Amino acid sequence: MRAGLNQGTHPLLSVEERQKLAFIASIRHFPVGGVLFREGDEATEIFILVSGTVKVSRMLGEGNEVVLSFFFPNDLLGLLENGRYVNSAKALTPVTAYSLPLTALERLLRTNPDLQLHFLTKLSHELREAQQHAITLSRSSARAKILMFLNLLKMHNETPEGPKNRISLPMTRVDIADYTGLTVETVSRNFTRLQREGTIHLINPHCLEILDEQLLREILPG
Amino acid sequence: MRAGLNQGTHPLLSVEERQKLAFIASIRHFPVGGVLFREGDEATEIFILVSGTVKVSRMLGEGNEVVLSFFFPNDLLGLLENGRYVNSAKALTPVTAYSLPLTALERLLRTNPDLQLHFLTKLSHELREAQQHAITLSRSSARAKILMFLNLLKMHNETPEGPKNRISLPMTRVDIADYTGLTVETVSRNFTRLQREGTIHLINPHCLEILDEQLLREILPG
DNA sequence: CGTGGAGTTGAACGATGTCAATCTTAGTGG
DNA sequence: CCACTAAGATTGACATCGTTCAACTCCACG
């Protein structure tokens, strides 16, 4: 279910490219629970995350939320269609982001074919990866899904304060369930199970430590 | 698991754009089982399907194949990374395709920012849809997955010869299983079940008729 | 102190995977 | 032209895993 636009070692844009973009950007701040944009709203800007975590989701009729991805610093978010956002984005922690007005961005891209080509390449790569990831997840066990989810968080864990391998989970169990396609109960049970196995240690529901480093290698089998 | 680059009503490129591209293209033919390109091979060209059906897949260690998508006429295929194809493409039927040499294509895009911008827009749209589709599938029942798969084929069914609502399945049950993330047995059982319910009629394993038109509406619930 | 939301745990059920047997069909060679 | 073969497809029995429904715990907040 990994669906962000970056992939750990591959930020969407290079440092120089982001600097170019910074010329047309402004800084925005959002509190916990703040909405960056809402599905269906007219799109006027896209964002590049500076700090914090964002949940991107879509509603499927009858209050059924699908969490498409979690976004971390350096991610680009706000993909749109026909001038409207296709997803909703909500801040899970206090968030700082660059805001890029669409009109200026389009002008910039139109006059910088190389920058645009890079966008194209990166986009196709990242989304292809996301698709692959989604398919992979669709055929693995609940345990493996949780491990992949933890691995995702681990890769983006930018707070190495305190013990290494400590991961903060700013989202709720429901968010994790809506992201992995499991039920809350299954998510909870598997956290407990991983703890019993000695793979992780739950400090509290929103903070855990990874004890068994090799869970990364173990992820593939399913 | 819908993952093609087009979406029925949204061909990747407009007629004019394809005409532009045709200037640098040549025609290629492939027999049933023919390989258009293989995962990891150096990429020299991309293809635009003219006729036939193509299976695009990736191997996950130990002979485990994931079918990422099926491609139909007007689809663009051959996405690559670092000069290499990331997937393999095999013809399920006799295939005719335009071949676009990458060097010429890149030159064309570099000098046509508008064409490139269109590429960018279309790509982000289609892949976003594919991602959504994959996630949707990951949380629905086997029956709903099969229905979505049939719906996909129906949208691309370009052979209205004979009775309407007749669909040809050029792929094997294993391919369908590898595409939907189910087992062959579950795929088979659900075909049988849909027939018992009167939703479809299996003429033979590679050809069926859709009897209940409203299965389309029924797909969402899961 | 309650109260309510989030999280965890238990028991029973149901759907899908697994293993194995059988059926069908297309292709092959006599 | 027919019989044999092998691959694909279907079906059944059973095991497994995740969901469902329900109860209970744990905090944060009033």
Side-chain angles (χ1 to χ4, degrees):
Chain A
M1 233 67 68
R2 173 71 184 109
L5 284 180
N6 71 352
Q7 198 68 260
T9 52
H10 287 140
L12 178 64
L13 299 169
S14 69
V15 175
E16 314 91 69
E17 286 167 329
R18 262 181 275 130
Q19 285 175 344
K20 254 189 197 171
L21 291 169
F23 282 119
I24 60 170
S26 59
I27 285 275
R28 300 271 309 266
H29 294 279
F30 298 89
V32 173
V35 173
L36 283 73
F37 51 84
R38 209 179 293 274
E39 179 180 353
D41 282 0
E42 194 165 344
T44 58
E45 56 188 345
I46 64 174
F47 299 91
I48 296 181
L49 257 193
V50 175
S51 71
T53 308
V54 171
K55 173 179 84 170
V56 169
S57 62
R58 202 184 291 188
M59 299 307 288
L60 303 177
E62 294 313 311
N64 225 320
E65 182 174 28
V66 178
V67 175
L68 293 159
S69 53
F70 297 104
F71 285 77
F72 304 90
N74 284 333
D75 279 340
L76 175 96
L77 69 163
L79 282 194
L80 40 108
E81 171 127 1
N82 301 325
R84 297 189 175 276
Y85 296 113
V86 293
N87 304 316
S88 302
K90 183 183 277 191
L92 294 175
T93 66
V95 160
T96 305
Y98 287 117
S99 159
L100 304 176
L102 276 175
T103 52
L105 178 64
E106 191 168 337
R107 212 179 317 123
L108 187 66
L109 285 181
R110 209 175 281 281
T111 55
N112 287 52
D114 283 354
L115 180 60
Q116 194 184 149
L117 197 59
H118 212 145
F119 251 93
L120 189 62
T121 308
K122 283 294 182 187
L123 198 62
S124 73
H125 163 64
E126 304 299 350
L127 288 176
R128 186 59 78 179
E129 281 299 321
Q131 169 193 349
Q132 165 70 26
H133 200 110
I135 290 175
T136 301
L137 274 182
S138 86
R139 59 190 74 217
S140 49
S141 67
R143 181 169 173 280
K145 289 182 190 182
I146 297 297
L147 284 177
M148 287 196 218
F149 168 73
L150 289 179
N151 192 35
L152 166 68
L153 289 189
K154 184 169 183 291
M155 295 199 309
H156 290 280
N157 203 28
E158 20 124 27
T159 58
E161 68 215 9
K164 217 54 177 169
N165 281 343
R166 179 163 296 192
I167 292 178
S168 82
L169 309 162
M171 64 291 291
T172 67
R173 293 292 186 269
V174 173
D175 286 336
I176 300 175
D178 288 340
Y179 178 70
T180 54
L182 302 167
T183 60
V184 190
E185 294 91 332
T186 302
V187 170
S188 182
R189 270 188 259 271
N190 276 277
F191 271 117
T192 306
R193 176 178 164 198
L194 286 171
Q195 179 155 233
R196 263 203 321 269
E197 294 174 3
T199 308
I200 64 174
H201 172 58
L202 278 164
I203 294 154
N204 69 57
H206 292 284
C207 185
L208 60 80
E209 242 173 82
I210 297 185
L211 301 177
D212 185 354
E213 195 68 45
Q214 74 176 6
L215 93 163
L216 305 179
R217 270 163 269 154
E218 191 192 339
I219 282 175
L220 290 177
Chain B
M1 232 68 71
R2 173 70 184 111
L5 285 180
N6 69 353
Q7 198 69 260
T9 54
H10 287 142
L12 178 66
L13 300 168
S14 69
V15 175
E16 314 91 69
E17 288 168 328
R18 261 182 276 130
Q19 283 176 344
K20 252 189 197 171
L21 290 170
F23 283 119
I24 60 170
S26 59
I27 285 274
R28 301 270 310 266
H29 295 279
F30 298 89
V32 173
V35 173
L36 283 73
F37 50 85
R38 210 180 291 274
E39 179 181 352
D41 280 1
E42 194 165 345
T44 58
E45 57 189 344
I46 65 174
F47 299 91
I48 296 181
L49 256 194
V50 175
S51 71
T53 308
V54 172
K55 174 180 84 169
V56 169
S57 62
R58 203 185 289 190
M59 299 308 286
L60 303 178
E62 292 314 312
N64 225 320
E65 182 174 28
V66 177
V67 175
L68 293 159
S69 53
F70 296 104
F71 284 76
F72 303 91
N74 284 332
D75 279 341
L76 175 96
L77 69 163
L79 282 194
L80 41 105
E81 171 127 2
N82 300 326
R84 297 190 173 277
Y85 295 113
V86 294
N87 304 316
S88 302
K90 182 182 276 191
L92 294 174
T93 66
V95 159
T96 306
Y98 288 118
S99 159
L100 305 176
L102 275 176
T103 51
L105 178 65
E106 191 168 335
R107 212 179 318 121
L108 187 67
L109 286 180
R110 208 175 280 280
T111 55
N112 286 50
D114 283 354
L115 180 60
Q116 194 186 149
L117 196 59
H118 212 144
F119 251 92
L120 188 63
T121 307
K122 283 295 182 187
L123 198 61
S124 75
H125 162 66
E126 305 299 350
L127 287 176
R128 184 60 78 177
E129 281 299 321
Q131 170 193 350
Q132 165 70 27
H133 200 112
I135 290 175
T136 301
L137 274 182
S138 85
R139 58 192 69 217
S140 48
S141 67
R143 182 170 172 280
K145 290 182 191 184
I146 298 297
L147 284 177
M148 286 196 218
F149 169 73
L150 289 179
N151 192 36
L152 164 70
L153 289 189
K154 185 170 181 289
M155 294 199 311
H156 291 279
N157 202 28
E158 20 122 30
T159 59
E161 69 216 7
K164 216 54 176 170
N165 281 342
R166 179 162 297 192
I167 293 179
S168 83
L169 309 163
M171 64 291 291
T172 67
R173 294 291 186 270
V174 174
D175 286 336
I176 300 176
D178 288 340
Y179 178 70
T180 54
L182 302 167
T183 60
V184 189
E185 293 92 333
T186 302
V187 170
S188 183
R189 270 188 259 270
N190 276 277
F191 272 117
T192 306
R193 177 179 164 195
L194 286 172
Q195 179 156 234
R196 264 203 321 270
E197 294 174 4
T199 308
I200 65 174
H201 172 59
L202 278 165
I203 295 154
N204 68 56
H206 292 284
C207 185
L208 61 80
E209 243 173 81
I210 297 185
L211 302 176
D212 184 355
E213 196 68 45
Q214 74 176 5
L215 92 163
L216 305 179
R217 270 162 271 152
E218 190 194 339
I219 284 175
L220 290 179

